[in-house]
Amino acid sequence: MEVVKIENAARVYKVGTIESQALRGVSLSIENGEFTALVGPSGSGKTTLLQLIGCLDQPSSGKVYITGKDVTGLNRNQRADLRRGTIGFVFQFFALIPTLTAFENVELPLLLNGNTPKERRDRVMELLGAVGLSERADNRPDQMSGGEQQRVAVARALSTHPTLVLADEPTANLDTANGEIVMKTMARLNQETGVTFVFATHDPRVIKFARRVITLRDGLIVENGAAAKPA
């Protein structure tokens, strides 16, 4: 199944009379179950493309389809509804709520979706176990390492059974060891759940985990294919 389809998408930002073209007619397709990296230097357009896929922004021209639905013309509330049921997010700075425990952070999307208390507890404990943090359920973010916080964020992204998880520089604020743990966790959950993962990065430590690499430069896709296997 085609989870993401982008057709000739351009994104132009305007500040006064000055225009900046972040994307210049990008087309791509991402299938169910992929573990794909969007790579490129700063300013290449990878984060803009991730935002279009995540329905956080809209193209200036072109089309965006998520699970076969044309989302290009959806209004803000419609895009929020689609994100809530279809897309999970992992952010560079973790974005956990500091006053909530790990359990409560993972539970929050389920509360918003109206799940019952038993459904919430069962799903949260399943996911905390899947990321190796069952014993951290009652800890707040300031009581966890950066790597543990990012694994809680991965669990939260998966809580509502999304079709697609998007991660923007998921290891940028982690040391090598914790970055490796987070990427191994994401890769394993991708294999076990079949959820599609797409992540934007310029970190070679992250790129090596991808099974497909899409390279952007100056707002264009310049390479698109299977990741190179380690020597």
Side-chain angles (χ1 to χ4, degrees):
M1 180 182 75
E2 198 172 50
V3 175
V4 176
K5 185 178 181 181
I6 309 287
E7 291 184 344
N8 200 31
R11 184 67 175 100
V12 179
Y13 297 99
K14 295 182 180 180
V15 180
T17 60
I18 299 173
E19 291 189 354
S20 174
Q21 197 160 11
L23 292 175
R24 303 169 183 268
V26 166
S27 297
L28 67 88
S29 173
I30 296 173
E31 298 290 328
N32 188 50
E34 286 195 31
F35 199 70
T36 294
L38 305 178
V39 308
S42 179
S44 63
K46 60 185 184 296
T47 295
T48 301
L49 180 56
L50 199 73
Q51 289 173 340
L52 295 187
I53 294 171
C55 300
L56 296 170
D57 195 7
Q58 294 175 294
S60 303
S61 62
K63 295 283 188 179
V64 179
Y65 299 85
I66 304 296
T67 62
K69 179 181 178 66
D70 184 353
V71 301
T72 312
L74 298 185
N75 64 35
R76 181 174 296 183
N77 289 336
Q78 290 170 325
R79 285 184 281 129
D81 287 341
L82 183 141
R83 287 195 301 270
R84 191 175 64 201
T86 307
I87 306 171
F89 293 90
V90 179
F91 300 98
Q92 178 177 342
F93 295 102
F94 320 140
L96 301 180
I97 297 175
T99 56
L100 300 184
T101 64
F103 183 100
E104 291 165 339
N105 269 283
V106 179
E107 181 188 34
L108 187 57
L110 299 169
L111 274 168
L112 296 173
N113 274 9
N115 293 79
T116 67
K118 183 180 187 306
E119 288 171 340
R120 297 198 305 267
R121 177 169 180 79
D122 289 349
R123 181 61 174 162
V124 172
M125 293 312 297
E126 174 192 357
L127 287 168
L128 287 176
V131 299
L133 292 175
S134 297
E135 75 285 357
R136 292 294 206 176
D138 295 326
N139 290 116
R140 295 188 308 274
D142 63 0
Q143 298 169 318
M144 294 182 284
S145 70
E148 288 171 335
Q149 290 182 61
Q150 194 63 301
R151 281 187 280 157
V152 172
V154 171
R156 180 185 58 191
L158 289 165
S159 62
T160 59
H161 299 278
T163 304
L164 174 66
V165 170
L166 304 178
D168 190 11
E169 301 283 3
T171 64
N173 288 301
L174 302 177
D175 60 29
T176 300
N178 276 305
E180 188 95 355
I181 291 169
V182 166
M183 290 309 302
K184 284 181 177 178
T185 300
M186 288 171 56
R188 174 173 52 80
L189 290 169
N190 164 256
Q191 293 280 0
E192 291 175 357
T193 66
V195 173
T196 303
F197 279 73
V198 180
F199 43 97
T201 187
H202 61 270
D203 186 345
R205 300 175 302 166
V206 176
I207 296 168
K208 72 178 184 180
F209 285 93
R211 294 197 299 276
R212 178 185 176 193
V213 176
I214 298 170
T215 304
L216 289 97
R217 188 175 299 119
D218 298 327
L220 295 168
I221 292 175
V222 294
E223 290 183 43
N224 183 358
K229 294 183 179 179

